[in-house]
Amino acid sequence: MLERCTRLLSPALQHPGAVTVDATLGMGGHAAELLRRNPQVRLVGVDRDPQALELAARRLHEFSERTTFVHAVSDSLPAVLDELGLERVDAVFFDLGVSSLQLDEAERGFSYARDTALDMRMDPGAPTTAADVLNTRSQSDLVRLLREYGEERFAPRIAAAIVREREREPFTTSARLVDLVRANVPAATRRTGGNPAKRTFQALRIEVNDELGVVERSLPAAFERLAPDGRLAVLTFHSLEDRIAKRVLRELSTSSAPPDLPFVPAGAGPRAELLTRGGEGADEAELAENPRAASARLRAVRRLPGEDSNAGGSDASRDRPQAQRRNPRRNRAGSSQEPRRRARTDPPPTSIEPDENGTTDGRTP
């Protein structure tokens, strides 16, 4: 979704001195396109994977005067910007989940298609590997991980088998785990939905790298460092991280004023404007070229200027009388407790967008 991501972020980067952050740099594909299209932009590229940073630096060599690379986890973005002396930035981009580099490098241990060491660390210097999790966690904890992070229906059966087998010999390689999972799911499940081990591998990967916790902390922290009219875009690849992105961005774009107030008090208005309608997916042309894009969902917001005291807007925008603004959460009839009857000519109420499909539909690599 390179074209769409670039078009969403570029309007915030048209002024001299603009700064954009790629908080999950990977191999620098999105960063390269932003730098090409916006010759005045400075890029701060952040990644927890030192190998990815090295490859991205090579790829972005022609832009070396406008790039800064930082080895860090994205939830430490405020500290990174403080160290660089950047109070505000104009755009932040997150490309979440495991990268193609990590999936394709067999020794990293992310893939269930090849027999390799059970590692799965995005940062090879991190202390805990997937093998550590399998060999030390209690059975109840393994059940929780498989259910919550892998959405695995057969979590109790798989967890019990892991505990039983590790007493015989600790887990060290991926093939043994794949065989164990395959032996402990029903035959009908093995015949559909791809490799039955994919949910177990996803759960382990998320736990080893605290992926969901990082997303929970990173998105609000990044938004707080946006300049007025700055833009934040998030590309997710499975339903668990997409639900977090959806919730955070909706909260930012929703007024905090009680629905029974006829106006929006100062500081209670929405802080962001949604730039995407739900989670946008890749088009058919990209899916034909890159099947891994099938599970991608893109969401983005623009920070509204002057909506709160921290937004950095002008004095005039902050002092604008807020009482003149109608509360969009208040029922038009004037009372949130007694909803107006909908006339026959009214359009049907808009349904709330459902969460994206789970990880059991075969889209997640």
Side-chain angles (χ1 to χ4, degrees), residues 236-300:
T236 66
F237 286 86
H238 62 75
S239 61
L240 299 176
E241 61 191 16
D242 188 58
R243 287 171 197 160
I244 297 172
K246 175 181 176 180
R247 174 179 54 77
V248 171
L249 299 190
R250 276 191 170 177
E251 289 174 356
L252 290 169
S253 59
T254 302
S255 170
S256 61
D260 57 346
L261 286 182
F263 62 90
V264 180
R271 306 179 64 199
E273 171 194 15
L274 292 173
L275 299 176
T276 54
R277 184 173 183 177
E280 296 184 358
D283 59 27
E284 292 184 3
E286 178 166 3
L287 293 178
E289 181 179 344
N290 178 20
R292 284 179 178 169
S295 56
R297 293 294 178 268
L298 177 64
R299 300 178 185 271

Side-chain angles (χ1 to χ4, degrees), residues 26-236:
M27 290 185 287
H30 291 91
E33 189 67 12
L34 276 176
L35 288 164
R36 273 193 290 267
R37 296 196 187 190
N38 301 281
Q40 71 283 355
V41 164
R42 173 187 175 187
L43 170 84
V44 177
V46 179
D47 206 287
R48 66 166 77 184
D49 187 339
Q51 184 183 6
L53 286 173
E54 180 181 349
L55 293 174
R58 295 178 192 170
R59 183 175 194 167
L60 303 176
H61 177 71
E62 63 180 294
F63 309 108
S64 58
E65 294 183 355
R66 295 192 282 133
T67 54
T68 302
F69 302 104
V70 182
H71 179 215
V73 184
S74 60
D75 61 354
S76 63
L77 183 59
V80 169
L81 296 180
D82 288 344
E83 184 71 19
L84 296 174
L86 296 171
E87 182 179 354
R88 298 287 182 185
V89 296
D90 300 286
V92 183
F93 178 61
F94 290 87
D95 186 357
L96 299 178
V98 64
S99 71
S100 293
L101 166 67
Q102 292 158 344
L103 281 174
D104 295 338
E105 292 282 342
E107 63 270 16
R108 302 296 296 271
F110 287 93
S111 175
Y112 44 75
R114 289 164 288 187
D115 188 19
T116 185
L118 280 167
D119 192 320
M120 300 193 193
R121 292 173 296 176
M122 292 179 176
D123 181 352
T128 303
T129 69
D132 295 330
V133 173
L134 285 174
N135 294 322
T136 62
R137 298 296 181 85
S138 68
Q139 182 171 327
S140 60
D141 199 23
L142 290 172
V143 171
R144 178 187 64 81
L145 295 179
L146 294 175
R147 278 178 171 166
E148 293 183 8
Y149 297 161
E151 299 174 302
E152 175 57 73
R153 290 178 295 162
F154 307 105
R157 189 186 304 183
I158 294 171
I162 290 171
V163 171
R164 183 173 62 251
E165 286 298 311
R166 77 188 186 191
E167 293 178 356
R168 183 173 62 85
E169 181 183 355
F171 283 89
T172 58
T173 61
S174 57
R176 184 179 172 211
L177 178 60
V178 170
D179 292 341
L180 179 145
V181 174
R182 184 177 286 111
N184 284 277
V185 298
T189 301
R190 296 197 298 267
R191 289 193 293 266
T192 60
N195 194 312
K198 66 184 179 183
R199 290 175 289 273
T200 296
F201 272 65
Q202 175 178 293
L204 289 171
R205 191 197 81 213
I206 290 174
E207 173 66 12
V208 166
N209 298 287
D210 188 24
E211 291 181 41
L212 300 185
V214 168
V215 176
E216 286 269 13
R217 298 185 292 270
S218 296
L219 297 184
F223 182 83
E224 292 301 331
R225 301 304 287 260
L226 283 178
D229 289 319
R231 296 188 171 209
L232 170 66
V234 188
L235 197 58
T236 66

Side-chain angles (χ1 to χ4, degrees), residues 315-330:
D315 292 340
S317 64
R318 286 198 298 267
D319 295 339
R320 186 184 302 121
Q322 298 293 317
Q324 297 179 2
R325 299 179 55 196
R326 184 179 65 82
N327 187 349
R329 301 178 65 195
R330 180 177 169 84

